[in-house]
Every structure is written in C-alpha cells, then in structure tokens.
C-alpha cells in the first residue's frame, strides 16, 4: 500500500498556496527581478536597527525564560502591549480572556476553522480572496460560497440571493474588510453594518481577517467589524504583526469570546505549544518602547508614495491598453485587470524572464477566475524600481497583445 492511498478524506482539500510557493521560486532567481509578487513590507521598512538592539536585550535574558516554553496564550508582557494597542487604535477595551497570541495571522485562521468548520459547512468567501484563508476552510472540508468584490469591498447586497441559491445559510463569513488582499479595496461602513445584520439573521459567525488597518495612508479610519458587531454577532478577529513589522517574526493575535479562546488554547497546545518566545518578547519590547507609532507613520508615507508611483507608472506605460486598477487607500496591494486576451498565468514566465514578478489573478480564487487580472504589491519596492517593474510588465503585455494574446 502506498501512503497516499491512506490519506484522510480532508487531505484532498489541502491545496497549498500559489502565493507562498512564489517565495522559493523568486529566491531561486539569479537575474534582476522587480518583486511585485509577495505581500511583504519593504526590506528598508523593517526596523532592523531597533530589532538588533532589542533582540540583543531579549537574548541576554536567557535566565528569564526567553528560551523556555512560554504560556500558550502568549507572553504576559506582549499580551498587555497588544491589549493597550487595541485600546489606543480602536478605542475599545478588550479583556485579557478574549485574547490569544498566535503564530501569525495564518495560525489564527487555522484555529478558527479547526474549531468551527466541518465537512459540508457553507462558508462565504470574497472573490477574489486571500486563498491561504479559503484553503484553510477547504482544508477542514468547508464548502465555499464565493461572493463578488467591487470598489467598496464585498458586495453584501448579493449575499441573500447567493445564499438562497445555495439552499442553506452559511455558518461562517470570511472577510478581509480593509485594504483587502488581493484587491486593495475596503468594505464601506454601510456594507459593514449590512453584513453584521445578515450574519445576525443567519446565526453565522464572522471571521474578520484584518492585517492592514494600521497601514491606512488616506481617508478616514473605519471601525472594525468586530467593534461594530459587539454584542450582536460573534466575530473572530484575526490580526498580525506581519505587515506592520515583519512577516518572518510569525507573531499575531486573535480575539474572540472567552470560551472560544479557552478552546483555542487547547487546540494550540496540540499544535505548537506556544508561539516563538524570543520573538514575542522582541515585539513586546518594540511596543513597550513606544516605537510603533513613528514606524507606522513612516510606512504610511512611504507606501502612499509607492502607490502613487505605481498607479502613475501604469497610466503612463499602459496608456494605449485597456486596463483597470484599484486605488487602495492603504495596505500593500493593488489589483490590475488587463484586456481579456491576456492570461496572466501564461504571462508569468515571460514576465519573470523580462525581470518582473507578480501574482496571477487565478491564485486568488478557489474557482480559478480572474484569468486576466493580477496582484501587484506596491509596498516593497522603491518608486524607481516600481517604474522599472511596470515598464517590464507593460513590455510583455504589449508583446502578448501584438501576437493576439498567445505566444
Ligand atoms: C488577508 C491576510 N490574512 C492573513 C495573512 C497571513 O498573515 P501572517 O503572515 O501573519 O500569517 C495575510 C498575509 O498575506 C493576509 O494578507
């Protein structure tokens, strides 16, 4: 017998991530590539010198348990800092029993699905969406109900029809309401309210995945769905330091009802025992020194410049080509839709050879839609590199269009 013949039924739903696979693919490239693919902060936006100093302090305190197992719910110092951060940014007090420190946002998504999604459960997802999240849902054998996204985020008004057509109500709604990955769009306040109302009527949970709210560089702060829904609909709030500090830290958090957090702690104990202790303490020290506000301020300024550099470069380089792109007011990404003759999966190799990398649109939908769209990260390259990357992209797009969209 081969081992694959013995796979659990759920193994077929474990699909992996085109997005994550591009990390090793891009690391293997030896020629000059403008990297507009991964959703990471810029290398020059990582507070490396502060990390170096603070890490030295953390590492010097081995006797203080820095390298020991830590409490599953998270390091007490970091927990206190995160609660303060929520109070400062969202103007609401979260009691400690509603908080769990996680190994990044992904672990929050996994714990949420592990506890709430079982075979056949219907889960609303955005289309396009962050497919690492939807893959977590299908990994627990949930069934996806894909709902469209427009310039104001998830089109909440179509949900009742989609749900009626599905013939059953969803158990969970997975949404990335703010500077969505991949589209960069933000769910309007009216739609947030409407979504909470629908969830209430269906008795559904909302899984709010929000790594990007702190990276708003334009427009008004919008309350999280978690804040809006308080006392009406249970919300699992998944957050992470990956986009505001550094993704390699693998430190994030989740907020939910105390009974849910208690069960998640049990689940995490049979998963990874505790989140990486020295790096939790590094994040704690960064927050405790009050370094985050200035860091975010700089990031917002830089990312706004880079968003502008990218949208201006697209307008200049694709002048004679019909395209649409979103205008994100924060976050890391914009979504580019090219003429229908372009297949962005097909375009990827030629673009890589030309020296530019992006993530093709179909990587962001379980059903493989968005053949002529792609995601660009404007945050991780300088304006000059962005302009060069867009020039290279425009060259391969034009070449494709000249030969009728084929090779
Ligand atoms: C919407 C969304 N959720 C979750 C994550 C994963 O975050 P982390 O790297 O902290 O696991 C990402 C990262 O790209 C994301 O865009």
């Amino acid at each position: 017998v081969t081992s694959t013949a013995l796979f659990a039924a759920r193994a077929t739903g474990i699909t992996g991530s085109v997005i994550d696979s591009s990390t090793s693919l891009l690391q293997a490239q030896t020629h000059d590539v403008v990297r507009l693919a991964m959703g990471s902060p810029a290398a020059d936006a990582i507070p490396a010198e502060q990390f170096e100093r603070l890490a030295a302090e953390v590492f010097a305190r081995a006797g203080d348990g820095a390298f020991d197992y830590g409490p599953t719910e998270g390091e007490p110092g970091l927990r206190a800092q995160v609660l303060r951060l929520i109070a400062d940014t969202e103007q609401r007090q979260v009691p400690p029993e509603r908080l769990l420190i996680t190994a990044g946002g992904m672990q929050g998504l996994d714990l949420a699905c592990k506890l709430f999604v079982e075979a056949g459960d219907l889960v609303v997802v955005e289309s396009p969406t962050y497919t690492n999240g939807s893959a977590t849902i299908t990994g627990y054998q949930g069934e996806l109900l894909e709902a469209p996204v427009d310039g104001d985020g998830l089109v909440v008004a179509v949900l009742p029809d989609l749900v009626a057509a599905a013939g059953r109500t969803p158990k969970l709604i997975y949404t990335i309401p703010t500077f969505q990955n991949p589209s960069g769009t933000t769910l309007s306040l009216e739609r947030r309210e409407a979504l909470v109302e629908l969830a209430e009527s269906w008795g559904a949970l909302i899984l709010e995945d929000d790594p990007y709210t702190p990276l708003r560089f334009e427009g008004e702060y919008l309350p999280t769905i978690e804040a809006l829904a308080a006392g009406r609909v249970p919300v699992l709030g998944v957050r992470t330091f990956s986009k505001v500090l550094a993704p390699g830290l693998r430190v994030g958090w989740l907020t939910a009802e105390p009974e849910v957090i208690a069960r998640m702690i049990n689940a995490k104990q049979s998963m990874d025992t505790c989140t990486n202790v020295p790096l939790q303490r590094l994040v704690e020290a960064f927050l405790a020194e009050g370094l985050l506000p200035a860091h975010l301020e700089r990031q917002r300024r830089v990312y706004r410049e880079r968003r502008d550099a990218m949208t201006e470069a697209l307008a200049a380089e694709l002048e004679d080509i019909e395209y649409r792109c979103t205008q994100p007011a924060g976050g890391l990404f914009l979504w580019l839709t090219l003429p229908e003759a372009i297949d962005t999966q097909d375009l990827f190799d030629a673009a890589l050879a030309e020296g530019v990398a992006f993530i093709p649109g179909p990587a962001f939908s379980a059903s493989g839609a968005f053949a002529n769209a792609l995601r660009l990260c404007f945050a991780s390259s300088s304006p000059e590199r962005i302009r060069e990357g867009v020039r290279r992209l425009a060259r391969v797009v034009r070449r494709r269009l000249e030969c009728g969209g084929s090779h």
Side-chain angles (χ1 to χ4, degrees):
V1 65
T2 63
S3 48
T4 53
L6 300 174
F7 269 153
R10 66 180 173 278
T12 50
I14 298 176
T15 53
S17 164
V18 176
I19 313 163
D20 291 0
S21 304
S22 73
T23 301
S24 35
L25 176 71
L26 288 175
Q27 281 183 355
Q29 302 304 311
T30 50
H31 68 300
D32 173 46
V33 178
V34 182
R35 288 148 205 260
L36 308 176
M38 283 310 283
S40 313
D44 60 4
I46 307 289
E49 281 171 22
Q50 291 160 333
F51 278 176
E52 191 179 346
R53 176 175 59 79
L54 297 170
E57 289 169 19
V58 168
F59 276 48
R61 290 200 303 268
D64 187 20
F67 295 95
D68 205 347
Y69 291 115
T72 305
E73 64 272 22
E75 289 295 293
L78 177 62
R79 290 172 56 80
Q81 288 300 328
V82 168
L83 294 176
R84 191 162 309 149
L85 182 66
I86 299 170
D88 288 350
T89 53
E90 297 190 29
Q91 316 301 324
R92 65 192 178 99
Q93 303 296 326
V94 172
E97 59 275 15
R98 294 184 69 99
L99 175 69
L100 174 64
I101 301 295
T102 59
M106 274 315 305
Q107 188 175 53
L109 297 178
D110 189 58
L111 286 166
C113 294
K114 186 170 203 149
L115 256 60
F116 291 102
V117 178
E118 60 199 331
D121 280 345
L122 192 63
V123 181
V124 171
V125 297
E126 292 156 350
S127 179
T129 189
Y130 176 57
T131 34
N132 289 26
S134 57
T136 308
I137 296 161
T138 53
Y140 287 103
Q141 301 176 284
E143 283 176 28
L144 305 179
L145 181 62
E146 295 184 283
V149 166
D150 68 13
D152 282 330
L154 176 67
V155 186
V156 176
V158 303
L159 283 177
D161 283 350
L162 290 177
V163 166
R168 61 208 164 109
T169 55
K171 183 174 195 181
L172 185 72
I173 299 167
Y174 171 53
T175 179
I176 308 153
T178 309
F179 318 130
Q180 198 233 23
N181 182 0
S183 69
T185 58
T186 294
L187 194 67
S188 66
L189 185 59
E190 298 70 35
R191 288 190 185 181
R192 285 172 197 237
E193 300 276 10
L195 187 64
V196 171
E197 259 170 50
L198 280 178
E200 195 172 17
S201 72
W202 292 327
L205 277 165
I206 299 179
L207 175 53
E208 182 185 42
D209 184 8
D210 182 19
Y212 302 107
T213 282
L215 297 178
R216 176 181 283 282
F217 46 69
E218 227 168 56
E220 291 292 305
Y221 172 82
L222 275 177
T224 58
I225 291 180
E226 195 183 1
L228 286 172
R232 293 160 65 198
V233 171
V235 176
L236 309 165
V238 169
R239 313 285 187 257
T240 177
F241 287 105
S242 291
K243 313 299 171 164
V244 296
L245 285 179
L249 297 170
R250 313 306 305 137
V251 178
W253 75 93
L254 185 147
T255 46
E257 287 162 278
E259 300 73 18
V260 173
I261 294 295
R263 196 59 64 94
M264 283 184 175
I265 291 172
N266 292 351
K268 190 169 154 70
Q269 285 171 343
S270 61
M271 191 185 279
D272 65 354
T273 302
C274 64
T275 301
N276 182 313
V277 174
L279 293 181
Q280 286 188 71
R281 293 192 179 187
L282 176 66
V283 175
E284 174 196 336
F286 192 87
L287 297 175
E289 281 204 7
L291 299 171
L292 188 65
H295 171 70
L296 283 176
E297 195 125 318
R298 178 176 174 275
Q299 258 182 312
R300 294 185 193 113
R301 181 168 42 75
V302 168
Y303 293 169
R304 181 189 177 130
E305 257 169 44
R306 292 175 179 190
R307 190 246 0 226
D308 289 344
M310 185 171 276
T311 50
E312 284 160 20
L314 288 167
E317 299 292 334
L318 298 176
E319 193 187 21
D320 52 332
I321 292 170
E322 253 183 67
Y323 77 94
R324 279 176 287 130
C325 81
T326 53
Q327 270 288 335
L332 308 180
F333 308 112
L334 64 77
W335 184 247
L336 176 68
T337 306
L338 292 166
E340 275 178 18
I342 299 284
D343 179 324
T344 56
Q345 270 174 317
D346 225 38
L347 192 72
F348 182 83
D349 287 340
L352 192 58
E354 190 76 23
V356 62
F358 55 80
I359 306 279
F364 299 99
S365 106
S367 53
F370 309 108
N372 57 325
L374 54 88
R375 185 190 79 178
L376 295 173
C377 173
F378 54 77
S380 48
S381 309
S382 69
E384 301 79 66
R385 290 288 286 169
I386 287 173
R387 283 190 280 274
E388 179 56 28
V390 170
R391 258 195 300 278
R392 293 175 186 178
L393 177 65
R395 272 205 296 272
V396 287
V397 168
R398 193 160 288 113
R399 227 178 279 147
R400 277 298 150 97
L401 289 173
E402 278 159 11
C403 41
S406 66
H407 305 266

